Amino acid sequence: MRVIICGAGQVGYGIAERLAAEDNDVSVIDTSATLIQRVRDTLDVRGFVGHGGHPDVLAAAGANDAEMIIAVTLYDEVNMIACQVAHSLFDVPTKIARIRAQSYLQDQYRDMFSRDNLPIDVIISPEREVGEVVLKRIALPGATDVVQFADENVTMMAIECREDCPVINTPLSQLSELFPDLGATVTGVWRNDKLFVAKSSDQLFAGDLVYVISVKGQVRRTLALFGHQETQARRIVFAGGGNIGLYAAAKLEQSAIKANLKIIEANRTRAVDVADQLMRTIVLHGSALDQQILREADVQDADLMVALTNDDQVNVLSSVMAKRLGCKSTMTLINDLSYQSFTSALGIDAQINPRAVTISRVLQHMRRGRIRQVHSVQKGQAEVIEAQALETSPLVGKPLREQDLPEDVRIGAIYREGVVLKPDGQTIVKANDRVIMFAKTSAIKSVEQLFRVSLEFF
């Protein structure tokens, strides 16, 4: 696929890196010659210095033959204009834009992004996406990653196996025998910096991070089975009152959760603005690295500290300080991949990578076949995919044990007419079923073939 990416910052670079690794024809545009040189030196892509909304720059980047444009510069207006020009002059079929300003995303303006107005097919709001991730992690303490599929009827969780985990050293097939009514399947395991697809003969060990696909109604039971019975946080401190912190706090205020919320914001003007928009949240003006401010926020008695500033170092250090002062748990926003490998050694309980969230949304529209949702895990080493089976799919009509499934794929759940099925060898996939599976990157092309749209379909 020929793709043009406008913006060579952290998000644009990450998308280009992933798409180039999958042998797509990628062009990257940015006004910074330094960023474009970095792209040229490190990735198998073409780089162009210029404005993403200028027709001559888009033409040089191959817009006449492009199948998709992904505009992720720092400026919403540049992203919008790039999509408009790509549509009006080059008839690019798929246009994706990152929109950060929340005023553009208000419900009364949702018709603005339409073919007749601003022709953008997919809007990505990193702040809202990350805010939703924060809310899901708060709702399910004990899981280090949470994503919902099949209209929120299926949940994928990443769960750490600790020394006291009741199911370690037990073959997965035996777990199915012990808990036949448990609607959960272990699909992937991260062990000693290596990722593999789980098989029924595998055992889990202390230190493993397991990827479990579960029926929505049995999520908490599944967490308890893995030794995680943490209570939901009621006293929460947010470090950073930006769009993400404001979004998460506002949603918590609207929810049935009666949480005690506090926000620490370094910018005085922003702190006043956030305080005006929230009803039950206490907003403190100061630095999250100031121990006195942390104490004023009662972080020593907090159940959870969520660090969401724009500075990775502030997020990491404030989380470490919060734990030292007595905070029970921490969740930290980290953009720089180099920081992510040692956060657990510092006592940080969970981390959020906004770039990974954005890349997952983009991949959903890159995948061929009837792919409805994609979530990338472990820096792109695997994906959790929801795909819809058509009548012509080779997966339809035969029991799973008779299928020639790729080795690096495990099906975790099947959603059929409002019911979630836990698959086994006798399960037969039917047309229109939605299949949720864990697949290593090496098997993605095979998965796309399983759910491809055949000419016979028409």
Side-chain angles (χ1 to χ4, degrees):
M1 181 180 289
R2 173 166 284 187
V3 182
I4 296 176
I5 300 172
C6 297
Q10 288 188 345
V11 172
Y13 183 91
I15 295 171
E17 181 181 37
R18 184 66 182 273
L19 299 187
E22 297 181 6
D23 297 324
N24 291 287
D25 186 348
V26 180
S27 298
V28 181
I29 300 170
D30 200 284
T31 55
S32 170
T34 302
L35 291 178
I36 289 299
Q37 190 60 50
R38 175 185 177 229
V39 164
R40 291 171 175 165
D41 291 343
T42 58
L43 302 178
D44 184 18
V45 305
R46 293 187 302 275
F48 298 86
V49 179
H51 192 291
H54 290 179
D56 57 334
V57 177
L58 286 171
N64 283 305
D65 301 316
E67 298 171 68
M68 179 181 292
I69 182 169
I70 305 169
V72 288
T73 75
L74 294 176
Y75 305 102
D76 294 350
E77 292 73 19
V78 172
N79 297 337
M80 289 187 241
I81 291 298
C83 289
Q84 179 71 71
V85 173
H87 171 81
S88 301
L89 299 184
F90 303 104
D91 198 25
V92 177
T94 304
K95 298 158 288 291
I96 299 175
R98 178 171 71 171
I99 305 296
R100 303 181 70 181
Q102 299 302 295
S103 58
Y104 287 125
L105 304 176
Q106 295 179 29
D107 289 341
Q108 62 264 40
Y109 306 133
R110 59 187 164 190
D111 291 337
M112 179 173 66
F113 301 108
S114 64
R115 189 174 185 85
D116 295 329
N117 297 312
L118 273 174
I120 300 175
D121 302 294
V122 181
I123 296 291
I124 297 177
S125 171
E127 287 79 6
R128 289 195 176 186
E129 298 282 350
V130 175
E132 287 296 329
V133 170
V134 170
L135 293 170
K136 289 172 183 175
R137 301 265 187 101
I138 291 174
L140 288 176
T144 62
D145 195 5
V146 180
V147 183
Q148 293 175 316
F149 296 87
D151 301 332
E152 300 188 354
N153 288 286
V154 174
T155 300
M156 186 286 296
M157 299 175 289
I159 308 173
E160 182 183 359
C161 294
R162 300 179 300 204
E163 293 288 347
D164 58 351
C165 176
V167 298
I168 60 174
N169 304 319
T170 304
L172 296 179
S173 58
Q174 189 173 335
L175 290 181
S176 299
E177 296 171 2
L178 292 173
F179 306 98
D181 61 334
L182 181 67
T185 303
V186 176
T187 56
V189 180
W190 175 258
R191 177 185 298 161
N192 298 327
D193 295 329
K194 292 184 179 179
L195 184 70
F196 62 90
V197 173
K199 298 181 175 60
S200 58
S201 58
D202 289 329
Q203 298 183 39
L204 302 179
F205 303 123
D208 286 353
L209 183 69
V210 298
Y211 291 89
V212 183
I213 294 177
S214 169
V215 178
K216 179 181 178 181
Q218 298 205 32
V219 165
R220 296 195 182 279
R221 182 187 174 195
T222 301
L223 283 168
L225 182 64
F226 281 84
H228 289 275
Q229 295 177 295
E230 294 90 336
T231 57
Q232 191 166 323
R234 288 292 186 267
R235 291 169 294 184
I236 304 172
V237 177
F238 292 101
N243 288 333
I244 301 173
L246 175 60
Y247 179 85
K251 287 292 185 180
L252 286 171
E253 284 191 349
Q254 297 167 14
S255 71
I257 302 171
K258 299 301 180 183
N260 183 315
L261 305 176
K262 294 178 182 176
I263 293 178
I264 301 172
E265 171 54 44
N267 182 283
R268 182 176 181 81
T269 302
R270 178 64 181 177
V272 172
D273 183 45
V274 170
D276 288 341
Q277 295 186 58
L278 298 173
M279 301 294 294
R280 296 188 289 105
T281 303
I282 296 173
V283 181
L284 301 174
H285 170 233
S287 170
L289 297 180
D290 186 334
Q291 289 197 33
Q292 183 60 36
I293 291 292
L294 290 174
R295 289 194 175 94
E296 286 184 29
D298 295 323
V299 75
Q300 65 274 10
D301 298 318
D303 299 316
L304 176 65
M305 161 91 154
V306 187
L308 299 170
T309 77
N310 291 324
D311 190 319
D312 285 354
Q313 294 183 17
V314 171
N315 291 339
V316 171
L317 291 174
S318 63
S319 297
V320 172
M321 291 171 63
K323 284 297 282 287
R324 295 284 175 86
L325 289 172
C327 183
K328 293 180 182 177
S329 183
T330 55
M331 188 188 308
T332 308
L333 183 73
I334 299 178
N335 287 282
D336 192 332
L337 296 179
S338 63
Y339 287 129
Q340 295 180 11
S341 58
F342 61 78
T343 53
S344 59
L346 295 174
I348 294 174
D349 300 287
Q351 56 178 268
I352 300 170
N353 180 2
R355 184 168 72 172
V357 175
T358 303
I359 291 173
S360 292
R361 280 294 311 277
V362 170
L363 290 175
Q364 178 178 335
H365 301 279
M366 290 291 301
R367 296 289 171 244
R368 300 183 185 277
R370 287 297 180 93
I371 307 299
R372 299 177 65 98
Q373 190 172 342
V374 172
H375 179 67
S376 180
V377 302
Q378 292 298 339
K379 302 176 183 178
Q381 293 190 41
E383 295 174 12
V384 184
I385 299 172
E386 176 187 345
Q388 184 175 2
L390 299 175
E391 292 179 4
T392 56
S393 169
L395 198 61
V396 169
K398 292 191 299 183
L400 290 180
R401 65 162 48 96
E402 298 178 16
Q403 297 281 356
D404 186 22
L405 288 173
E407 182 178 351
D408 287 335
V409 172
R410 179 155 192 182
I411 296 175
I414 296 173
Y415 184 64
R416 177 183 300 160
E417 298 179 348
V419 178
V420 180
L421 307 175
K422 180 181 177 180
D424 57 28
Q426 299 178 354
T427 302
I428 298 176
V429 176
K430 298 182 178 180
N432 296 318
D433 282 356
R434 285 148 72 174
V435 182
I436 298 90
M437 70 203 86
F438 185 94
K440 292 189 68 174
T441 304
S442 58
I444 297 300
K445 297 299 182 185
S446 298
V447 170
E448 290 177 332
Q449 287 300 310
L450 289 174
F451 296 93
R452 67 183 183 271
V453 180
S454 169
L455 290 175
E456 300 172 14
F457 180 73
F458 300 99

